[in-house]
Amino acid sequence: MRYFSVLFLFLNTNVHSLFSQSTDLFLPYNMLRAYEKGTRSFDGRPGPHYWQNRASYQMRVKLVPKKRRVEGSAIISYYNQSPDTLRLLRFKLAADRYRKGSLRDDDVNPNDVGEGVRIEQLTLNDKAVAEQERIRRRTFLDVDLRKKPLLPRDSLRIYVRWSYTLPADKNAARECVCDPTTFFVPYWYPQIAVYDDIRGWASTPYSGQQEFYHDFADYDVTLIVPKGFMVWATGEWKNAADLLQAPYLERFLLAHRVDTVVRIFTEEELRRGGVFRPQNPHVFRYQATQVPDFTFAASDHYNWDATSVVVDSTTGRRTFVSAAYHSRSADFYRVARIAADGIRLMSFWLPGYPFPYPCMTIFNGNDGMEYPMMVNDYSVAPGDPTNLTVHEVAHTYFPFLMGINEQEYAWMDEGWASFFDFFLADSLTGRKHNLRGYAAVAGNDFDVPPMVRSSFLRSPAYSVASYSRPQAAYTVLLDQLGYEVFHRCMVEYMNRWKGKHPTPYDFFFTWNETSGQNLNWFWRPWFFEWGYPDVGVRDVQRDSSAECDVIVIERLGNLPIPIHLQINYTDKTSEIVHLKADIWKNGEQRYAVSCAPGKSVSHIELGNRLIPDRNRTNNSWKRN
Ligand SMILES: [Zn+2]
């Protein structure tokens, strides 16, 4: 069959009509190219010509707490694995969000606005890049390569030296100068933007709202901080033995082997001295491979708890899990335990895929924000930190393991993180979450189809399309497929696309193929259409020949949801009827449920906490 369709491609001049035959979901015209070129395929697998670029970063960074200054240098090797000749090289300079005149989604403290990133030196293949070959626009630094383009399968050696000042505002998004000697430092180095098969160079600037879309890279980073500071970072800490005194090193190593939480050091121990070997300044080394970013944090007075958890039962592999926090954060004493328990559930239940990273640190900062192996979470005390912790850690799968383009399809990661966090936190706390949050806003004018590119959206449209609507959709999907098929699809999707950049279509097509079902009846309304979910009880009729009552359920909204009926009879007995969302797959408007023969219905309740339903006033019926 595939052979014929290839032949057909050469004969057919109307490429769009050909490809629309391969899916009846709307496929944007500009995404067809990927299918013509064979980088993507209609079965949901990476195409035979799939490619992506990669880099390796060898960096040195000095944090100067008194000046809030970050001073770095990097040797970057960038590999052009695309079939294209690159006439431009694009760096992302996220800290340019604070550059005077830069575009921003939210107000920032005017005192933090300044020069942005200072590029002190930039060379390509040991040749200095002239000022006129650099274009600074929004949060990008573009380098003109027209004189010496980067050819396919060739690489570039880049040297860059830079510095910038972290914002002083404690409420700055992402970054945290949490107190004069505590820092969380994300998006801090000139990172090469993604050049991909869909849109070429990624062109969505960092204006505050957008999060990840980065290529996979290897990192070897040396971090220099004043004496007395600890550094936590993406990757494995390679020189703990150089820095920690014997008793603390023992605790650090013990935590790698045991399931219980070990207090590696406390604020009091740090203040007393004797945690670190004499070294001035402190030089830390962290390494990570195949990750989409590198982040670090530092403090001279935070507590550090750690434990580890088995994430792969076949190999016995463990992940080292840490919490670093201020003594005042009463909730954080529990966070290492929660994170480890969450990672165990992620590895064996939802998504049910071995946690991919060797370590994970939850740092007590000012946000709820994920990075590879690092999280910046505010303290929710006196509240319960379970949901927030589990949500941010679950991002490890999406967008990190899977390389999601969150800047354009945030529902491909935020929807999943929200879905996992509800189920996992319920399992850890005994609470029972509901989907009333989405139901309350479904169908409003800001409830846009999630397939609208996220970079075009502002909240509340952004948050509904990225979080609550896809979270509801995935919950309905789990009900539809059942855990076993759902899990099989999830594992297949991850195996196909880990370390790559899946688009929404790679997700839809993979789940269609793996489930053995064409789920387009589900994807289309939930992801491509305006609308809302609403079912109601229309009527209860008597079928006199069968001597039973028949409940007529009406579909009033276009988003398909299951029917869950609690039927109470006049003889005080009751039953529950649950029908999956596919009863509506052919556009049915009504569905008749036959009740127990010989009995008479007294009252009915339709729906449950996991079924989002916009209008619940039509969900009850009572016999008069
Ligand atoms: Zn999230």
Side-chain angles (χ1 to χ4, degrees):
M1 287 293 279
R2 198 169 293 162
Y3 177 67
F4 283 110
S5 63
V6 170
L7 268 184
F8 190 46
L9 170 68
F10 290 112
L11 298 173
N12 197 306
T13 49
N14 188 342
V15 172
H16 190 266
S17 69
L18 164 67
F19 282 108
S20 354
Q21 287 164 21
S22 298
T23 176
D24 56 1
L25 293 176
F26 169 70
L27 184 57
Y29 210 94
N30 57 324
M31 289 179 86
L32 280 172
R33 242 167 18 124
Y35 294 85
E36 288 171 47
K37 291 184 174 176
T39 56
R40 316 265 158 179
S41 57
F42 285 106
D43 59 11
R45 288 188 175 79
H49 303 302
Y50 180 81
W51 56 266
Q52 67 196 30
N53 291 350
R54 68 183 178 89
S56 73
Y57 293 81
Q58 208 182 319
M59 299 196 277
R60 260 182 102 75
V61 56
K62 187 173 165 191
L63 178 69
V64 187
K66 285 204 173 106
K67 296 182 178 166
R68 305 192 315 276
R69 196 85 185 151
V70 175
E71 300 170 359
S73 65
I75 299 167
I76 309 169
S77 301
Y78 180 63
Y79 302 89
N80 179 17
Q81 306 190 131
S82 81
D84 306 334
T85 296
L86 301 183
R87 293 181 171 80
L88 178 126
L89 181 68
R90 173 163 292 170
F91 294 92
K92 297 169 75 166
L93 302 176
D96 265 3
R97 192 164 80 93
Y98 291 96
R99 188 163 52 88
K100 202 172 176 184
S102 211
L103 179 78
R104 290 181 277 267
D105 289 321
D106 300 301
D107 293 349
V108 297
N109 188 320
N111 297 329
D112 287 329
V113 176
E115 68 170 341
V117 180
R118 187 187 298 166
I119 299 288
E120 282 151 7
Q121 199 179 340
L122 177 62
T123 66
L124 299 187
N125 291 337
D126 301 319
K127 197 172 166 294
V129 177
E131 204 53 52
Q132 63 270 24
E133 291 167 334
R134 307 179 192 181
I135 304 156
R136 249 342 229 282
R137 199 178 53 85
R138 296 191 168 168
T139 47
F140 295 119
L141 162 62
D142 287 347
V143 177
D144 186 345
L145 297 184
R146 280 177 300 182
K147 280 190 194 149
K148 200 171 180 335
L150 178 57
L151 300 175
R153 281 167 296 282
D154 202 356
S155 66
L156 256 183
R157 185 183 137 94
I158 300 151
Y159 177 78
V160 57
R161 203 156 54 79
W162 74 97
S163 62
Y164 70 95
T165 302
L166 288 161
D169 188 346
K170 280 199 176 68
N171 298 317
R174 320 286 186 235
E175 307 88 357
C176 187
V177 177
C178 313
D179 61 47
T181 55
T182 302
F183 301 83
F184 190 93
V185 188
Y187 297 165
W188 56 280
Y189 57 97
Q191 185 171 19
I192 300 179
V194 177
Y195 180 84
D196 71 15
D197 62 317
I198 303 288
R199 298 188 183 90
W201 286 109
S203 59
T204 302
Y206 175 62
S207 45
Q209 176 180 265
Q210 303 79 14
E211 298 178 9
F212 285 90
Y213 188 41
H214 297 161
D215 269 327
F216 292 87
D218 297 338
Y219 291 85
D220 183 347
V221 184
T222 301
L223 303 111
I224 302 156
V225 288
K227 184 178 144 191
F229 275 76
M230 174 66 201
V231 169
W232 296 267
T234 298
E236 291 176 286
W237 184 18
K238 291 294 176 183
N239 63 339
D242 296 344
L243 274 145
L244 290 179
Q245 295 278 12
Y248 299 96
L249 181 64
E250 269 168 40
R251 293 183 199 173
F252 172 72
L253 296 173
L254 175 68
H256 281 79
R257 300 191 301 268
V258 297
D259 295 331
T260 49
V261 174
V262 177
R263 305 203 76 187
I264 297 183
F265 53 66
T266 62
E267 177 182 1
E268 201 196 321
E269 287 169 322
L270 275 180
R271 291 204 191 278
R272 221 170 32 222
V275 169
F276 295 109
R277 290 174 183 278
Q279 199 189 75
N280 191 17
H282 282 183
V283 179
F284 290 81
R285 188 153 183 217
Y286 277 87
Q287 286 176 335
T289 51
Q290 268 287 92
V291 286
D293 199 7
F294 187 102
T295 298
F296 69 94
S299 176
D300 65 355
H301 61 277
Y302 263 27
N303 300 276
W304 185 13
D305 297 349
T307 181
S308 57
V309 56
V310 171
V311 296
D312 188 339
S313 52
T314 53
T315 61
R317 181 168 64 82
R318 301 180 81 89
T319 290
F320 178 67
V321 186
S322 294
Y325 56 97
H326 197 286
S327 297
R328 185 179 56 221
S329 298
D331 54 332
F332 256 86
Y333 293 83
R334 297 174 49 216
V335 164
R337 175 78 276 137
I338 292 166
D341 290 343
I343 287 172
R344 177 174 42 79
L345 293 177
M346 290 169 211
S347 299
F348 297 104
W349 180 40
L350 283 173
Y353 196 92
F355 195 76
Y357 289 150
C359 35
M360 171 55 72
T361 301
I362 323 301
F363 189 84
N364 180 194
N366 62 349
D367 205 338
M369 185 63 201
E370 70 282 4
Y371 301 89
M373 303 181 220
M374 291 285 286
V375 165
N376 168 4
D377 271 354
Y378 58 90
S379 165
V380 300
D384 173 12
T386 306
N387 279 79
L388 179 63
T389 305
V390 170
H391 177 104
E392 305 308 339
V393 174
H395 274 302
T396 295
Y397 296 92
F398 309 99
F400 300 138
L401 176 67
M402 297 290 280
I404 301 295
N405 184 350
E406 183 181 6
Q407 294 170 357
E408 306 302 353
Y409 301 109
W411 57 269
M412 292 181 75
D413 82 310
E414 294 298 356
W416 281 122
S418 305
F419 169 87
F420 296 142
D421 102 45
F422 269 32
F423 282 99
L424 303 183
D426 282 3
S427 170
L428 295 175
T429 62
R431 285 197 298 263
K432 285 183 172 357
H433 78 271
N434 65 58
L435 297 174
R436 303 266 153 81
Y438 174 60
V441 299
N444 285 358
D445 56 5
F446 55 81
D447 176 16
V448 308
M451 282 300 289
V452 176
R453 286 170 61 175
S454 309
S455 60
F456 300 161
L457 303 177
R458 301 294 307 269
S459 279
Y462 175 84
S463 58
V464 175
S466 309
Y467 292 79
S468 52
R469 179 159 164 173
Q471 175 194 42
Y474 300 145
T475 305
V476 174
L477 187 63
L478 173 60
D479 182 78
Q480 174 62 40
L481 297 177
Y483 177 79
E484 201 186 315
V485 176
F486 182 91
H487 181 245
R488 195 192 317 140
C489 293
M490 182 63 90
V491 169
E492 180 64 18
Y493 176 44
M494 292 202 186
N495 282 340
R496 288 180 180 188
W497 288 97
K498 67 182 167 192
K500 299 189 171 69
H501 295 307
T503 68
Y505 296 91
D506 300 319
F507 164 63
F508 299 138
F509 298 160
T510 291
W511 284 60
N512 282 355
E513 193 193 64
T514 310
S515 66
Q517 304 170 35
N518 183 342
L519 296 166
N520 292 355
W521 61 269
F522 177 83
W523 308 129
R524 189 176 299 107
W526 273 100
F527 292 93
F528 291 77
E529 291 178 1
W530 294 85
Y532 54 89
D534 180 21
V535 290
V537 182
R538 182 180 171 86
D539 203 2
V540 176
Q541 297 162 357
R542 189 72 185 172
D543 180 340
S544 45
S545 60
E547 284 193 19
C548 72
D549 282 350
V550 174
I551 302 168
V552 179
I553 306 294
E554 192 169 24
R555 182 170 74 144
L556 298 147
N558 57 328
L559 305 192
I561 49 175
I563 289 179
H564 186 92
L565 268 178
Q566 159 96 34
I567 307 170
N568 301 289
Y569 295 106
T570 50
D571 64 2
K572 307 282 184 216
T573 59
S574 65
E575 67 174 317
I576 285 174
V577 172
H578 188 91
L579 298 152
K580 294 176 177 183
D582 64 356
I583 56 169
W584 311 113
K585 70 187 277 188
N586 297 314
E588 294 84 347
Q589 291 302 309
R590 285 182 197 171
Y591 195 89
V593 178
S594 296
C595 298
K599 297 199 180 196
S600 174
V601 172
S602 81
H603 58 283
I604 307 164
E605 275 305 320
L606 175 62
N608 69 20
R609 67 188 172 87
L610 296 180
I611 300 173
D613 191 326
R614 181 65 166 103
N615 176 10
R616 291 178 48 78
T617 62
N618 53 23
N619 284 31
S620 313
W621 181 93
K622 207 172 169 142
R623 187 175 293 282
N624 290 321

